[in-house]
Amino acid sequence: MKKSSLYVLLACGILLFALLCAGCSDNPSVAGTAEEPNELAQNESSSSSEPQQSSSSDIGPGIVQRDSASLEFYIEQFGIDSLQFNGGVLAAMADYDMKPPPQSSVDPGNQPAMATEFDTPWPHAIVKQNVEALNDLFPKANEQFANLVDSIREGIASDSCKLYVQSVWGDSKTIGFVLANVSRDTVSIIDIANSNCKETTENKVYRFLFRYCGEIDSRPEIVHTTVAANISADKCPVQRTAAEWLKDE
């Protein structure tokens, strides 16, 4: 009888202990431990998103990363918002040229020794007979616009819209050129000037590859207009030898 009473007391003790433990689970200090990992993850997520937000705001909504080999980049380095290439311009090339510029804008035969057919002040058409010269004049453009070049090589290109090369000789007063407009009887070129820049276009020849639909006179008037670039000496463009810029496709 005493043994059964002992069993009853032991059972009651175990039951009471279980009830007390169950009641402990309602204690906030214990239940909160299950939420701490979630709170930590939420805090980490919040903190990791903050640098991304500050980074995007630092960049600004209007800034676009330009390819340094694009015509758009070439334009932007002068810091003149209104400056634009003619819409038909496909490529520009700047290279050192030890030959003096043409001495006459009237007599196309008065050219320096070793001058090529492209060393004239006027636009020169690319045709089947001279298309191979594009690989030397504009190697990147020759590759990028391969379909157009092939059509000229094969003699199947449209006669109504032709490729032309316009050459411009540099001087000590300019830091760049832009082929701004082309019409039947006039080619407009912007001469970019800046007295802060030591590197100029002197001893360089700039060539522009453009497409024009319609007829161009064999010797159109070449009109140069000077525009001043308001850039400091540390922002002056540095144009490497044989630099070539292409139109974004």
Side-chain angles (χ1 to χ4, degrees), residues 24-36:
C24 289
S25 64
D26 292 331
N27 190 320
S29 64
V30 177
T33 58
E35 296 178 3
E36 286 175 2

Side-chain angles (χ1 to χ4, degrees), residues 91-103:
M93 163 69 81
D95 205 356
Y96 286 101
D97 183 49
M98 301 311 294
K99 302 185 298 294
Q103 298 300 312

Side-chain angles (χ1 to χ4, degrees), residues 104-232:
S104 172
S105 60
V106 177
D107 181 9
N110 185 13
Q111 302 301 322
M114 302 301 293
T116 71
E117 60 184 306
F118 300 100
D119 292 324
T120 70
W122 304 284
H124 196 82
I126 298 294
V127 294
K128 184 177 182 179
Q129 289 75 17
N130 63 17
V131 68
E132 302 305 330
L134 275 180
N135 193 45
D136 295 325
L137 296 174
F138 299 93
K140 293 180 181 178
N142 186 66
E143 181 178 351
Q144 179 162 321
F145 305 105
N147 290 338
L148 178 57
V149 174
D150 286 342
S151 69
I152 297 173
R153 182 182 293 111
E154 296 167 8
I156 59 175
S158 171
D159 287 335
S160 59
C161 296
K162 295 180 180 179
L163 276 183
Y164 294 86
V165 173
Q166 173 69 52
S167 298
V168 183
W169 283 264
D171 55 43
S172 61
K173 299 178 181 179
T174 57
I175 61 173
F177 299 100
V178 170
L179 179 58
N181 192 49
V182 178
S183 66
R184 180 188 180 94
D185 56 3
T186 306
V187 174
S188 299
I189 298 170
I190 303 297
D191 300 351
I192 305 167
N194 183 282
S195 58
N196 295 326
C197 298
K198 294 182 179 180
E199 182 178 348
T200 68
T201 64
E202 189 173 21
N203 295 325
K204 293 180 182 179
V205 58
Y206 282 68
R207 302 192 195 275
F208 301 99
L209 180 68
F210 69 93
R211 196 177 190 197
Y212 182 81
C213 295
E215 293 293 329
I216 296 181
D217 291 346
S218 60
R219 289 185 289 176
E221 182 182 6
I222 309 298
V223 179
H224 286 263
T225 303
T226 300
V227 173
N230 185 23
I231 52 179
S232 58

